[in-house]
Amino acid sequence: MTSSPLFFILLCVCIKICSADHQNLQDFCPTATTTKQTIFVNGFPCKDPSNITASDFKSSKMNGSGDTDNFLRSAVTIVTAADFPGLNTLGLSVARTDLEVDGMVVLHSHPRATETLFVYKGVVLAGFLDTQNQLFQTKIREGDVFVFPRGLPHFCVNVGFEVATLYSVLNSQNPGEVSISGAYLEPDKDMLHKLVNNYI
Ligand SMILES: *[C@@H]1O[C@H](CO)[C@@H](O)[C@H](O)[C@H]1NC(C)=O
Ligand SMILES: *[C@@H]1O[C@H](CO)[C@@H](O)[C@H](O)[C@H]1NC(C)=O
């Protein structure tokens, strides 16, 4: 019977995922990327139905590691309906995160989406802050999933000894990003590490 709570959690996540953006009124509506936008709607206008092909529902944008040659030794590739036509009106985005050893994604939030973070490779410390400023963080490993509730500031740090690869699903076709650390200070890596290490 241990699978019942898990099933319930998965069901809740699925209901949440399916209900975040506005409900779809047709099977699909791949983004019309070539036509000049003359009307402005909540989302993107649909492609001419006679021109829709399977390639509208495929993306190769996460097929390789992002460029981690930077100060934070990390790369996030987020693919929204703007970059992946098939996602338009479906209420989902996907992302890939690559973290070198000690690499990190600093505090940020997505105002319109909950994010599930799946570890494909590596050991990562992931956490978020709630509206009471309480920190919830834990180490996640290959095969684990962590969830960042909608709108709450979150981060992740590679605390393992190899490169980490993570994939996310977000329940909005346009999750948005508010970068909290960058808003008022340049991220100081040593300080962030001390902060994180104090909590481990
Ligand atoms: C549909 O595809 C054809 C052939 O690729 C192209 O010539 C035409 O402009 C497209 N129509 C629209 C509305 O995008
Ligand atoms: C990833 O996708 C790009 C663009 O479609 C393609 O050029 C590249 O060969 C792909 N890389 C791999 C490893 O499949």
Side-chain angles (χ1 to χ4, degrees):
M1 287 313 287
T2 51
S3 65
S4 306
L6 184 64
F7 176 74
F8 181 68
I9 292 165
L10 285 174
L11 187 70
C12 291
V13 169
C14 182
I15 290 169
K16 187 90 185 78
I17 281 175
C18 300
S19 64
D21 279 0
H22 201 276
Q23 210 173 357
N24 204 1
L25 300 175
Q26 57 226 331
D27 285 351
F28 41 69
C29 155
T31 311
T33 49
T34 50
T35 48
K36 188 174 178 297
Q37 197 166 354
T38 49
I39 50 163
F40 295 88
V41 291
N42 187 18
F44 295 105
C46 307
K47 238 183 132 169
D48 180 341
S50 61
N51 271 14
I52 296 170
T53 65
S55 66
D56 290 316
F57 302 100
K58 172 188 168 181
S59 171
S60 299
K61 291 199 157 64
M62 307 194 306
N63 73 357
S65 173
D67 182 7
T68 54
D69 185 14
N70 53 55
F71 181 65
L72 295 170
R73 299 171 61 78
S74 66
V76 180
T77 309
I78 181 157
V79 183
T80 67
D83 323 291
F84 184 178
L87 289 179
N88 194 30
T89 73
L90 299 185
L92 291 174
S93 311
V94 285
R96 171 182 174 143
T97 304
D98 296 288
L99 297 169
E100 299 289 333
V101 174
D102 285 340
M104 62 174 67
V105 177
V106 292
L107 264 192
H108 65 281
S109 70
H110 304 291
R112 291 181 288 276
T114 291
E115 175 174 355
T116 54
L117 180 71
F118 168 79
V119 185
Y120 176 72
K121 200 173 87 179
V123 184
V124 167
L125 178 77
F128 65 85
L129 288 163
D130 71 3
T131 54
Q132 311 298 311
N133 257 346
Q134 193 180 346
L135 177 70
F136 296 87
Q137 69 171 3
T138 186
K139 264 189 203 175
I140 49 174
R141 299 161 193 280
E142 202 171 299
D144 289 342
V145 180
F146 194 71
V147 59
F148 301 126
R150 174 173 171 168
L152 298 184
H154 56 272
F155 64 89
C156 58
V157 185
N158 185 348
V159 290
F161 300 103
E162 54 166 355
V163 167
T165 310
L166 306 110
Y167 293 98
S168 301
V169 176
L170 300 100
N171 65 343
S172 168
Q173 70 169 35
N174 183 22
E177 184 182 328
V178 179
S179 114
I180 291 142
S181 325
Y184 52 88
L185 68 140
E186 276 296 303
D188 176 338
K189 212 169 159 183
D190 289 340
M191 186 203 70
L192 282 169
H193 264 296
K194 271 188 208 133
L195 249 176
V196 165
N197 287 333
N198 284 344
Y199 285 111
I200 295 177

